[in-house]
Amino acid sequence: MTSRNQQLFELSQKYIPGGVNSPVRAFKSVGGVPIFFQRGQGSYVWDADNKSYLDYVGSWGPLILGHAHPDVIKAVTETAQNGLTFGAPTEAELEIAQMLCTLVPSIEQVRLVSSGTEATMSAIRLARGYTGRSRIIKFEGCYHGHDDALLVKAGSGALTFGHPSSAGVPAETAAHTMVLDYNDLTALEQAFSESGKEIAAVIVEPVAGNMNLVSPKPGFLAALRSLCTQHGSVLIFDEVMTGFRVGATCAQGLYGIRPDLTTLGKVIGGGMPMAAFGGKREIMQCLAPLGPVYQAGTLSGNPVAVAAGLTTLRLVQAAGFYEKLSASTRQLTEGLTAAAKKHGIVFCAQSVGGMFGLYFSAIPPTSYAEVMECNKESFNHFFHSMLSKGIYFAPSAFEAGFVSAAHSSEDINKTLAAADQIFSDWK
Ligand code: KE4
């Protein structure tokens, strides 16, 4: 009997390209029919056939409190009663700006936008306007949204400039972007020694979460900081995923590095469309209406989204919040690793705060190339086996996973029991 998911997917493909509004939702990497969700509550979601799943995606990171947290829903519904948007300043935007400038070590001024892509696109333009330079550096496997300048893959040689990774991106645009290997200090130092004075910015995920989870090697982020300082380039930490996910002061607080600009999203919107970019006052003052770098948005600082974000940011500041979240996430990764080992499966896992990576390899990868050596087929088999047991991991071997404050120890133990059975039956 055709499931409701299958019916909806077939019909959606008639009206929406690929049947989805964002490619990763289409299950292309893992195969099978994508799930249409109808409801979420705490650590659970329900699909169109009313089947429940323990959710380790959390809408790709925003739902650090779990689905439909009562305080967030209350704030959103009460705010909506007073109107959805004004296209004018509101006191709540000031409040969340003050909060972000207080909580994020390097942010002296901040501008709100509606998506992570808008945040990174604006940060790149701002860095180029501030420095008067055009070239930027990004890292293979890091994703910063779908701005033309960032949809670029490595050029033929390690230090040549990039080529488009998407149709529709002009070669001339991609040529300004150099793509290096994440964690490769040698290539980084060479790039700066050759072109340092031409580099407007380096943009990096301080903990990479878009090629599965890849942690920064000791010294990598510090080297980025010192090289950018030395050459007058802007260091941009893309913390859209890591911001308030890995700790109360983001990845920059965790690793003790002060970027010049930071992009934020996901958690700061609490599940509503909100993101931000901010940093040194001297740089931020280049933005219109003060300075020559133009940036704008009809729904920037939207009151309903700000209400969700403010409530979320207040709740994650509770004493012990991140200690508890990190402990839950470690319980998951250590438990999965132990279960795989018990059954002789080549598997490992790691976590940073409330985000985690699962790898069918002997050791966690430290670069894009090493991620590509992990066994993708095994991941896909694990994904579908867990899905059949009502446990929903990211539908791709190249994404990080997320635990929320709503995930109980019972939820984690249920996950570990399911994994133990799957590893025991592993063919
Ligand atoms: P959005 O434009 O999707 O709000 O944010 C783009 C972005 C920027 N920077 C980082 C570090 C990100 O992880 C993202 C978006 N992350 C993906 C998940 N890997 C969003 C999921 C999707 O594309 O549907």
Side-chain angles (χ1 to χ4, degrees), residues 127-165:
R128 285 171 161 164
Y130 171 71
T131 60
R133 304 173 184 177
S134 299
R135 290 182 172 179
I136 59 173
I137 289 176
K138 74 174 290 287
F139 297 91
E140 186 88 73
C142 287
Y143 174 69
H144 304 288
H146 59 91
D147 177 48
D148 280 1
L150 296 164
L151 287 180
V152 176
K153 61 179 183 275
S156 49
L159 298 182
T160 59
F161 285 99
H163 299 295
S165 60

Side-chain angles (χ1 to χ4, degrees), residues 21-25 59-60 114-118 120 142-146 205 207 209-210 238-242 263 265-266 274-275 398-400 402:
N21 283 309
S22 199
V24 73
R25 303 175 187 177
S59 185
W60 303 99
S114 300
S115 74
T117 295
E118 251 196 291
T120 58
C142 287
Y143 174 69
H144 304 288
H146 59 91
E205 290 181 63
V207 177
N210 286 286
D238 178 357
E239 296 223 41
V240 167
M241 185 183 286
T242 55
T263 54
K266 296 183 192 276
M274 190 169 81
F398 309 110
E399 295 285 353
F402 304 97

Side-chain angles (χ1 to χ4, degrees), residues 210-232:
N210 286 286
M211 53 171 145
N212 208 318
L213 187 154
V214 175
S215 296
K217 279 182 178 172
F220 177 63
L221 297 177
L224 274 175
R225 177 62 281 171
S226 62
L227 285 164
C228 284
T229 303
Q230 189 185 334
H231 294 274

